[in-house]
C-alpha cells in the first residue's frame, strides 16, 4: 500500500514538474483575468535608464575593487569578457522580450512556456537570489562610502565604530556585522513601495546622477594615472581574469530588469530591445573606462574592497571627487531592488498568492517588494563584501544559459505547431517530438562541453593538459552543427529557424549555442563558494516545489498569456 502511494506521489510530482504554461497567438494582447495590473508608464528612455541604473552600482562601486585585488589591471579584460558574453545574452533576451512583450516574468516566464514548470522555478530561485545578493553587496559598500564622507569631518574621523558602516571584524571568515547597510535598504524599500511612478522618477534622477559622476571620475582620474601601475597587466595570470569575469558578469544584469518591466512599458515590442541592448552597451563603455582609471591611479594591491573608488581618489588628495563618488554610490543603491519576478510566480501559484497582489492605487507589488527588502537586509547585515561578491553571478550565468536555449526551442515549437496545423498528420507530430528531443540533447551536450572545457582550463597545470580543451570544444561545435542542419531536415517545406515578428536574435542557433557554451565555461571558473550556493539553493528550491509549488500551481485557469509567434506557412 505504501509502495503504491509512493509511486503515485512520484508520478504526480513528475507530471507537475514537466508541465508548461500554455500560450495563445496574438498581436499585442494580454489578459491577466484579475482586474489588477501594473501601469504602462515606461517609454524607451525610461527603460534605457532602468537598465543602466540597475547595472551601475555593483559593477563600478563594489566589485571593481574585489576583482582588481585578484586579477590586477586585468580587471579591465574581466569586464570586457563579461560584457562580450552579455552582448550575446542580450540578443537572446531581446528576442524573447519582444515575443512576450506584455507579460512580467523574464527568464522565469520564458523557461515556463518553453520547457517546464520545475526548471522555471529553479531558474527563478537562482536569479532572484542574485538580485538579493547584488543589493546587499551594494548596501554594504554604500555604508562604507557614507562613512568615508562623514570621516572627512575632523571631529568625526576615527570615532565611528567599524560595525556601523565598514563592518565588524570577520567571524569565521565571512560573518561581519553592519548596521547602516540594512537601514539603507529599508529606506529604499519604502521608496519602491510608493509606486512605479515615483520610483521611475527616482530611477531617472539617480541614474543621470550616477552616469554624470562616472564621467567625472573617468575624466578627472585620467590625469592622475601612472601607467607603471598597469605593469604587469595580469600579475596572477589569465585564469584570475576569467574568474574575475564571472564576478563582473553580474555588473551587467540590469538588462534583465528591463525585460521584467514588460507590463510597465508603453510599447514593449519596440522599446524593450532598445532598453536591453542600449543599456548594456553604455555600461560596457563606462566599466572599461573606470577600470583603466582606478588601476592606473593606485597599485591594485592597495585598492579597497568596500569603497574602492572613493578610497583611490582620497589617496590622491581629491576629497571633493571622493564625495561625488559616494553620492553616486548612494544613487546606485536606489536602482537595484526594482524587481517584478515574484509577481509572476505569485500569479502562477508557485509562491503564495500574496506575492501577486498589486496595490490598487500605487500599482506596485508591495508585499513582494517588502520581502525582497527583508532578504537583502539580512544578507547585508551579516555577510562581508568578499563573500557576497564571490557568490554573485552563478544564478545569472545559469539562467541566461536557459534563456538562450529557450530562443532555439521556441523556434522549434512554433514551426512544429504551424506545420502540424497545416498537415494534420500524427506521424509527423511524433517525428517532431523526436526531433525536439534530439535538439534538447544537442543543447545539453553543448552545456556539458562548456563546463568540461572550463574545468580542464581551470585545473590544468601544463600546456599539455590544455590540449584536452580541444576535445570538448570540438564536440560542442559538432552539436552546434547538428542543431543547424539536422533540425533543418525535420520538415521538408519549413524553415525551422525563421525569424519571428519584432526583434529577432541573429544567426540562430549559432549565437544562442555560443551563449550557452561561454556562460557555462564561465560557470566553471566561479569561486567554490558560488558552487556551494548553487547546489544548496537548488536542493532547497526542489523541496519548496515538491511540498508547495506542485500542489498550488495554477496550470488551468482563466489567466491566458498571449505572445507573438511565428507566422504559419500559409501566412508567409
Amino acid at each position: 500500500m505504501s509502495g503504491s502511494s509512493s509511486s503515485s506521489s512520484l508520478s504526480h510530482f513528475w507530471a507537475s514538474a514537466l508541465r508548461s504554461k500554455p500560450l495563445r497567438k496574438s498581436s499585442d494582447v494580454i489578459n491577466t483575468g484579475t482586474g489588477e495590473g501594473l501601469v504602462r508608464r515606461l517609454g524607451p528612455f525610461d527603460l534605457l535608464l532602468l537598465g543602466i541604473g540597475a547595472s551601475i552600482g555593483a559593477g563600478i562601486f563594489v566589485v571593481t575593487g574585489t576583482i582588481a585585488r585578484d586579477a590586477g589591471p586585468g580587471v579591465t579584460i574581466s569586464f570586457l569578457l563579461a560584457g562580450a558574453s552579455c552582448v550575446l545574452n542580450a540578443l537572446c533576451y531581446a528576442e524573447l522580450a519582444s515575443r512576450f512583450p506584455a507579460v512580467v516574468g523574464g527568464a522565469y516566464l520564458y523557461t515556463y512556456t518553453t520547457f517546464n514548470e520545475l526548471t522555471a522555478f529553479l531558474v527563478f530561485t537562482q536569479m532572484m537570489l542574485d538580485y538579493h545578493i547584488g543589493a546587499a553587496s551594494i548596501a554594504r559598500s554604500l555604508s562604507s562610502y557614507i562613512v568615508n564622507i562623514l570621516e572627512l569631518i575632523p571631529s568625526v574621523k576615527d570615532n565611528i565604530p567599524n560595525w556601523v558602516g565598514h563592518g565588524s571584524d570577520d567571524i569565521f571568515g565571512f560573518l561581519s556585522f553592519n548596521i547602516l547597510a540594512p537601514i539603507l535598504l529599508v529606506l529604499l524599500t519604502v521608496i519602491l513601495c510608493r509606486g512605479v511612478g515615483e520610483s521611475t522618477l527616482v530611477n531617472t534622477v539617480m541614474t543621470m546622477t550616477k552616469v554624470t559622476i562616472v564621467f567625472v571620475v573617468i575624466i578627472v582620474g585620467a590625469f592622475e594615472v601612472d601607467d607603471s601601475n598597469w605593469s604587469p597587466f595580469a600579475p596572477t595570470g589569465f585564469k584570475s581574469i576569467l574568474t574575475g569575469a564571472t564576478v563582473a558578469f553580474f555588473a551587467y544584469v540590469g538588462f534583465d530588469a528591463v525585460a521584467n518591466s514588460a507590463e510597465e512599458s508603453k510599447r514593449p515590442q519596440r522599446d524593450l530591445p532598445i532598453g536591453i541592448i542600449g543599456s548594456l552597451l553604455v555600461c560596457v563603455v563606462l566599466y572599461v573606462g573606470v577600470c583603466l582609471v582606478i588601476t592606473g591611479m593606485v597599485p591594485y594591491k592597495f585598492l579597497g574592497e568596500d569603497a574602492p573608488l572613493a578610497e583611490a581618489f582620497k589617496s590622491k588628495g581629491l576629497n571633493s571627487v571622493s564625495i561625488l563618488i559616494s553620492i553616486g554610490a548612494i544613487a546606485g543603491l536606489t536602482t537595484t531592488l526594482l524587481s517584478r519576478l515574484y509577481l509572476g510566480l505569485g500569479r502562477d501559484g508557485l509562491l503564495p498568492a500574496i506575492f501577486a497582489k498589486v496595490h490598487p492605487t500605487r500599482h506596485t507589488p508591495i508585499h513582494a517588494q517588502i520581502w525582497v527588502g527583508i532578504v537583502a537586509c539580512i544578507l547585508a547585515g551579516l555577510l562581508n563584501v568578499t563573500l557576497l561578491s564571490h557568490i554573485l553571478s552563478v544564478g545569472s550565468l545559469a539562467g541566461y544559459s536557459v534563456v538562450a536555449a529557450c530562443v532555439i526551442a521556441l523556434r522549434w515549437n512554433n514551426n512544429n505547431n504551424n506545420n502540424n496545423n497545416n498537415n494534420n498528420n500524427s506521424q509527423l507530430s511524433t517525428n517532431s517530438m523526436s526531433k525536439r528531443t534530439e535538439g534538447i540533447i544537442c543543447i545539453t551536450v553543448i552545456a556539458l562541453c562548456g563546463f568540461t572545457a572550463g574545468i580542464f582550463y581551470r585545473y590544468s597545470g601544463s600546456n599539455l593538459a590544455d590540449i584536452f580543451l580541444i576535445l570538448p570544444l570540438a564536440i560542442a561545435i559538432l552539436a552546434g552543427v547538428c542543431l543547424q542542419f539536422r533540425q533543418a531536415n525535420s520538415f521538408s517545406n519549413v524553415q525551422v529557424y525563421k525569424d519571428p515578428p519584432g526583434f529577432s536574435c541573429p544567426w540562430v542557433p549559432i549565437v544562442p549555442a555560443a551563449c550557452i557554451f561561454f556562460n557555462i565555461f564561465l560557470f566553471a571558473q566561479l569561486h567554490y563558494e558560488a558552487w556551494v550556493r548553487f547546489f544548496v539553493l537548488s536542493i532547497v528550491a526542489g523541496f519548496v516545489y515538491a511540498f508547495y509549488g506542485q500542489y498550488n500551481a495554477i496550470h488551468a485557469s482563466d489567466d491566458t498569456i498571449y505572445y507573438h509567434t511565428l507566422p504559419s506557412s500559409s501566412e508567409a
Side-chain angles (χ1 to χ4, degrees), residues 57-58 61-62 131-147 164-167 178-189 250 306-307 326 329-337 373 375-385 388:
F61 299 111
V62 184
Y131 277 101
H132 292 312
I133 295 171
S137 64
I138 295 174
R140 290 282 301 212
S141 181
L142 175 56
S143 62
S144 292
Y145 278 107
I146 291 177
V147 170
V164 171
H166 290 304
N178 188 306
I179 300 300
L180 184 56
I183 293 175
L184 295 171
L185 286 167
V186 169
L187 294 176
L188 170 61
T189 301
F250 184 78
D306 290 343
S326 300
I330 295 172
L333 180 63
T334 61
T335 52
T336 54
L337 278 184
V375 175
C377 283
I378 294 172
L379 294 173
L382 298 179
L383 303 180
N384 61 33
V385 170
L388 289 172

Side-chain angles (χ1 to χ4, degrees), residues 3 26 61 141 152 167 178 191 194 215 247 258 266 278 302 304 326-327 368 373 380-381 463 539 565:
S26 177
F61 299 111
S141 181
L152 294 176
N178 188 306
I191 291 174
R194 289 186 58 83
F215 273 117
V247 178
V258 178
K266 294 177 182 177
F302 300 108
S326 300
I327 294 173
N463 293 331
I539 293 171
T565 186

Side-chain angles (χ1 to χ4, degrees), residues 70-101:
D70 295 330
V75 62
T76 306
I77 306 300
S78 295
F79 274 93
L80 279 174
L81 289 173
S85 175
C86 283
V87 167
L88 297 179
N89 285 287
L91 293 173
C92 296
Y93 237 105
E95 174 175 321
L96 296 181
S98 179
R99 297 180 69 177
F100 297 82

Side-chain angles (χ1 to χ4, degrees), residues 73-74 76 225-235 291-297:
T76 306
V225 166
D226 180 359
D227 57 9
S228 64
N229 290 329
W230 290 334
S231 180
F233 195 75
C291 288
L292 287 173
V293 165
I294 190 175
T295 55
M297 289 179 62

Side-chain angles (χ1 to χ4, degrees), residues 69 134 154 229 250 299 301 353 371 445:
R69 289 174 69 90
N229 290 329
F250 184 78
K301 293 181 179 179
W371 170 252
V445 167

